Every structure is written in C-alpha cells, then in structure tokens.
Amino acid sequence: MDITQTTADDVRLFKQRAKQGIAEAQHLLGMCFLQGHHVAQDAAKAARRFRQAAEQGLADAQIILGDCHKSGTGVAKDQAEAV
C-alpha cells in the first residue's frame, strides 16, 4: 500500500485497528508516523508500531524495524538488532 494515497479517515481506522492488535494496521500506522502522513512525524512512535507488528511476525515490519535499528531512526542504533 502506498501510504501517501491514504486519507485521514484511513489513518483513524489504522489507529483503531492497531489498538486491537492487528499487525498490518500497526505497520501502516508506523509508516504514517515515519513519514508524517496525516499525523505528526514521530520516528519513535513509528518504531514502536513496527515492533508491535514485527513481534506478530509481519515480515514488512520486521524489515523496517531492522532498518530503524541500523540507522538509529526512532530507536538506539544497534547493529545486532538490525540483523
């Protein structure tokens, strides 16, 4: 999903579903926070959402969370966590 094509209503839905523990919604909400799309840009909130989705096994979130650890985006830079 191209996050730039989402609406403010989509983001509200992502928030509701993320609270329900839906991994895909957590991931998409993380992308919104990372890019500042319909929410204030916040890399730490993005990383938290990616972690929630990654812990549920969502591969896309695992990859992005690894990238966050590699670059120090929203989390402490940690090469061991990045792998």
Side-chain angles (χ1 to χ4, degrees), residues 67-80:
D67 290 343
C68 288
H69 280 287
K70 184 176 181 178
S71 65
T73 302
V75 293
K77 198 171 189 177
D78 186 335
Q79 295 303 313

